[in-house]
PDB file of all heavy atoms in Angstrom:
ATOM      1  N   PRO E  52     -21.428  41.941  21.829  1.00  0.00           N
ATOM      2  CA  PRO E  52     -20.229  42.004  22.684  1.00  0.00           C
ATOM      3  C   PRO E  52     -19.698  40.619  23.044  1.00  0.00           C
ATOM      4  O   PRO E  52     -18.497  40.464  23.277  1.00  0.00           O
ATOM      5  CB  PRO E  52     -20.719  42.751  23.935  1.00  0.00           C
ATOM      6  CG  PRO E  52     -22.198  42.678  23.904  1.00  0.00           C
ATOM      7  CD  PRO E  52     -22.584  42.614  22.468  1.00  0.00           C
ATOM      8  N   ALA E  53     -20.559  39.600  23.080  1.00  0.00           N
ATOM      9  CA  ALA E  53     -20.077  38.247  23.335  1.00  0.00           C
ATOM     10  C   ALA E  53     -19.134  37.799  22.228  1.00  0.00           C
ATOM     11  O   ALA E  53     -18.090  37.184  22.490  1.00  0.00           O
ATOM     12  CB  ALA E  53     -21.255  37.272  23.455  1.00  0.00           C
ATOM     13  N   GLY E  54     -19.486  38.121  20.976  1.00  0.00           N
ATOM     14  CA  GLY E  54     -18.603  37.806  19.859  1.00  0.00           C
ATOM     15  C   GLY E  54     -17.315  38.604  19.900  1.00  0.00           C
ATOM     16  O   GLY E  54     -16.232  38.091  19.594  1.00  0.00           O
ATOM     17  N   ALA E  55     -17.419  39.872  20.293  1.00  0.00           N
ATOM     18  CA  ALA E  55     -16.225  40.718  20.386  1.00  0.00           C
ATOM     19  C   ALA E  55     -15.262  40.196  21.455  1.00  0.00           C
ATOM     20  O   ALA E  55     -14.033  40.207  21.265  1.00  0.00           O
ATOM     21  CB  ALA E  55     -16.626  42.159  20.692  1.00  0.00           C
ATOM     22  N   LEU E  56     -15.794  39.724  22.571  1.00  0.00           N
ATOM     23  CA  LEU E  56     -14.952  39.165  23.628  1.00  0.00           C
ATOM     24  C   LEU E  56     -14.241  37.900  23.156  1.00  0.00           C
ATOM     25  O   LEU E  56     -13.086  37.650  23.529  1.00  0.00           O
ATOM     26  CB  LEU E  56     -15.797  38.871  24.865  1.00  0.00           C
ATOM     27  CG  LEU E  56     -16.239  40.089  25.679  1.00  0.00           C
ATOM     28  CD1 LEU E  56     -17.315  39.699  26.695  1.00  0.00           C
ATOM     29  CD2 LEU E  56     -15.046  40.718  26.395  1.00  0.00           C
ATOM     30  N   TYR E  57     -14.914  37.110  22.347  1.00  0.00           N
ATOM     31  CA  TYR E  57     -14.274  35.917  21.783  1.00  0.00           C
ATOM     32  C   TYR E  57     -13.070  36.307  20.928  1.00  0.00           C
ATOM     33  O   TYR E  57     -11.996  35.695  21.015  1.00  0.00           O
ATOM     34  CB  TYR E  57     -15.285  35.144  20.948  1.00  0.00           C
ATOM     35  CG  TYR E  57     -14.704  33.969  20.209  1.00  0.00           C
ATOM     36  CD1 TYR E  57     -14.419  32.775  20.860  1.00  0.00           C
ATOM     37  CD2 TYR E  57     -14.440  34.049  18.844  1.00  0.00           C
ATOM     38  CE1 TYR E  57     -13.890  31.692  20.189  1.00  0.00           C
ATOM     39  CE2 TYR E  57     -13.913  32.973  18.159  1.00  0.00           C
ATOM     40  CZ  TYR E  57     -13.636  31.799  18.831  1.00  0.00           C
ATOM     41  OH  TYR E  57     -13.104  30.728  18.151  1.00  0.00           O
ATOM     42  N   LEU E  58     -13.234  37.335  20.113  1.00  0.00           N
ATOM     43  CA  LEU E  58     -12.126  37.779  19.267  1.00  0.00           C
ATOM     44  C   LEU E  58     -10.985  38.357  20.107  1.00  0.00           C
ATOM     45  O   LEU E  58      -9.804  38.142  19.803  1.00  0.00           O
ATOM     46  CB  LEU E  58     -12.623  38.819  18.265  1.00  0.00           C
ATOM     47  CG  LEU E  58     -13.657  38.308  17.251  1.00  0.00           C
ATOM     48  CD1 LEU E  58     -14.144  39.465  16.374  1.00  0.00           C
ATOM     49  CD2 LEU E  58     -13.066  37.197  16.389  1.00  0.00           C
ATOM     50  N   LEU E  59     -11.306  39.090  21.162  1.00  0.00           N
ATOM     51  CA  LEU E  59     -10.273  39.632  22.039  1.00  0.00           C
ATOM     52  C   LEU E  59      -9.504  38.510  22.731  1.00  0.00           C
ATOM     53  O   LEU E  59      -8.281  38.614  22.931  1.00  0.00           O
ATOM     54  CB  LEU E  59     -10.903  40.559  23.083  1.00  0.00           C
ATOM     55  CG  LEU E  59     -11.383  41.918  22.587  1.00  0.00           C
ATOM     56  CD1 LEU E  59     -12.089  42.675  23.714  1.00  0.00           C
ATOM     57  CD2 LEU E  59     -10.206  42.743  22.057  1.00  0.00           C
ATOM     58  N   ALA E  60     -10.203  37.429  23.088  1.00  0.00           N
ATOM     59  CA  ALA E  60      -9.519  36.284  23.695  1.00  0.00           C
ATOM     60  C   ALA E  60      -8.491  35.715  22.742  1.00  0.00           C
ATOM     61  O   ALA E  60      -7.348  35.418  23.132  1.00  0.00           O
ATOM     62  CB  ALA E  60     -10.545  35.212  24.083  1.00  0.00           C
ATOM     63  N   LEU E 221     -22.354  36.524  28.957  1.00  0.00           N
ATOM     64  CA  LEU E 221     -23.251  37.389  28.189  1.00  0.00           C
ATOM     65  C   LEU E 221     -24.232  36.568  27.355  1.00  0.00           C
ATOM     66  O   LEU E 221     -25.394  36.945  27.200  1.00  0.00           O
ATOM     67  CB  LEU E 221     -22.432  38.306  27.280  1.00  0.00           C
ATOM     68  CG  LEU E 221     -21.687  39.460  27.961  1.00  0.00           C
ATOM     69  CD1 LEU E 221     -20.871  40.233  26.944  1.00  0.00           C
ATOM     70  CD2 LEU E 221     -22.668  40.387  28.675  1.00  0.00           C
TER      71      LEU E 221
END
Side-chain angles (χ1 to χ4, degrees):
L56 286 168
Y57 174 77
L58 296 176
L59 287 175
L221 286 177

